[in-house]
Amino acid sequence: MTHPTASVNYGERQAGSLRTGDLLLLPDATRTAEIASVAVDNDDFGTPALVRATLTGGGVLRIAAGSTVLIQVPASAPESAGVSTASAGESPADVPSAPAAEESGATNDDAGAPAPADGGESLSAVVVVPPPPASPPAVVGPSEADLALIPTAEGTPESVVEAAAEAHPKDAGVLLLSDRLAKGINPKSGSCLEDLSDLAHELFVVLGDAEHALAVADLLTVLPFDGNPGRWASVEAALALASYICRQRGDDERAAVYEKFLRAPDAMETDPFKARINAKVRQRSLNEPNLYDKEIFRAIDNSNRDAEREWRLLRLEALLFLRAHGGSQTIGGAELERRITNELDFVRG
């Protein structure tokens, strides 16, 4: 990343028109970064909604598809290119055109002075910006080395689901989920991702089938965070489950990769103030998790075992999520292991 100087010109561009190699002015308005790749996510109606720009120095910027951003353009770029230019710290509307400057009789001595605005008032050249962070926030994403630790599924995703169903032909839960998924697995569909996550939990939590559960979970674990909390909730649950299974098997290196993927969205905020606020909120949620104690006690008082089982399944998911984060300031790793074992024994019993 580089720091823009006063002689650097910037031009407006729609986020959907960004290209690899563009020098993008970052949200702190003090630094630029080269774009390594651009990905566009559509909404459920097929309209471009979110642009994800991966930066060469590390990091991903999420930009609304209709937003206008500033990119660095050469000082000699012709106006016919259709891009309005501005010096660092100025908006494009504040910059006079070259012919207007010549007609005003400007000389080399006063070329650096701001042009007078209507009414004879001079434009202020002083721009107050907050100091940049000590270092840009690091975005932890799946690397080639990380992905190499996760086995590639043999065949299609549908064949992985079919193999799990064939291993448990008499389980109603597995058959119901596998029948829905047999119609086709769409990684952009939130309901499809939820069914995959539920199937992986059904296989491991209820049936104790770690092998097929991990194979189904891996259909989700390799999906990156796309900014959609609804879809990410299913991926997050699969990552937590896969991490626990690998820890139980003694495959700590592979489990660490799942936990790294799980925490990747935590480091994607580029604004330092928002990042600090998000970290405090996240730590509070880890320290004060909702473990559904009231709901479980109410089901016990009403002798409703089915309701109690459903609430304990939700508690188990919350505990697995905490375990993948290494515990919290209020619940340590050993206590989490004990509670997870208790919930598994109840559900399987």
Side-chain angles (χ1 to χ4, degrees), residues 20-349:
T20 300
D22 285 342
L23 287 176
L24 178 65
L25 184 65
L26 299 182
D28 60 12
T30 62
R31 297 171 294 142
T32 59
E34 184 179 355
I35 297 177
S37 63
V38 178
V40 179
D41 293 333
N42 296 336
D43 60 18
D44 293 336
F45 295 93
T47 303
L50 183 72
V51 176
R52 290 183 289 114
T54 303
L55 308 179
T56 56
V60 177
L61 282 181
R62 293 168 292 165
I63 313 167
S67 296
T68 300
V69 294
L70 293 179
I71 63 167
Q72 183 176 327
V73 296
S76 59
E79 292 183 2
S80 60
V83 178
S84 58
T85 60
S87 297
E90 297 177 328
S91 65
D94 296 332
V95 180
S97 63
E102 292 175 1
E103 292 174 5
S104 65
T107 63
N108 291 336
D109 295 335
D110 56 9
D118 292 340
E121 296 178 0
S122 62
L123 296 176
S124 174
V126 179
V127 179
V128 180
V129 295
S135 59
V139 176
V140 181
S143 64
E144 294 296 332
D146 293 334
L147 294 175
L149 295 174
I150 302 178
T152 304
E154 297 182 0
T156 64
E158 290 79 9
S159 66
V160 174
V161 172
E162 183 180 356
E166 290 176 352
H168 304 278
K170 296 182 179 180
D171 186 85
V174 171
L175 294 179
L176 176 63
L177 292 168
S178 61
D179 285 345
R180 288 208 296 257
L181 292 168
K183 301 174 183 178
I185 296 177
N186 179 10
K188 293 294 184 181
S189 169
S191 60
C192 183
L193 299 185
E194 184 178 0
D195 286 343
L196 282 173
S197 178
D198 289 345
L199 177 58
H201 281 79
E202 179 79 12
L203 289 168
F204 177 74
V205 176
V206 179
L207 302 175
D209 186 351
E211 181 178 355
H212 286 100
L214 192 56
V216 173
D218 276 340
L219 299 177
L220 295 171
T221 57
V222 295
L223 299 178
F225 178 65
D226 62 356
N228 187 308
R231 288 196 291 265
W232 180 248
S234 300
V235 179
E236 198 173 51
L239 285 166
L241 177 66
S243 168
Y244 181 77
I245 294 176
C246 289
R247 292 288 182 191
Q248 294 297 107
R249 290 179 161 188
D251 193 352
D252 294 340
E253 189 176 10
R254 183 174 172 184
V257 171
Y258 292 128
E259 293 159 10
K260 179 180 178 181
F261 292 173
L262 182 65
R263 293 189 294 268
D266 300 345
M268 293 183 70
E269 180 57 64
T270 57
D271 184 280
F273 175 76
K274 291 182 180 179
R276 288 195 298 271
I277 296 299
N278 291 345
K280 290 182 179 180
V281 173
R282 183 167 56 252
Q283 188 60 54
R284 179 179 297 179
S285 67
L286 293 175
N287 291 340
E288 303 173 5
N290 182 10
L291 298 179
Y292 307 97
D293 294 335
K294 293 181 180 180
E295 292 81 358
I296 291 174
F297 289 144
R298 187 182 302 117
I300 293 174
D301 292 340
N302 295 332
S303 300
N304 190 338
R305 187 173 177 83
D306 291 338
E308 180 186 357
R309 182 177 183 276
E310 293 301 318
W311 288 116
R312 285 186 179 274
L313 285 172
L314 292 176
R315 174 192 276 180
L316 178 59
E317 286 190 23
L319 292 172
L320 290 174
F321 177 80
L322 285 174
R323 179 65 184 83
H325 274 272
S328 68
Q329 297 173 348
T330 56
I331 307 178
E335 176 64 12
L336 276 174
E337 291 288 352
R338 184 187 69 80
R339 293 193 182 191
I340 290 173
T341 301
N342 288 343
E343 299 305 323
L344 285 173
D345 289 345
F346 177 87
V347 173
R348 292 171 178 174

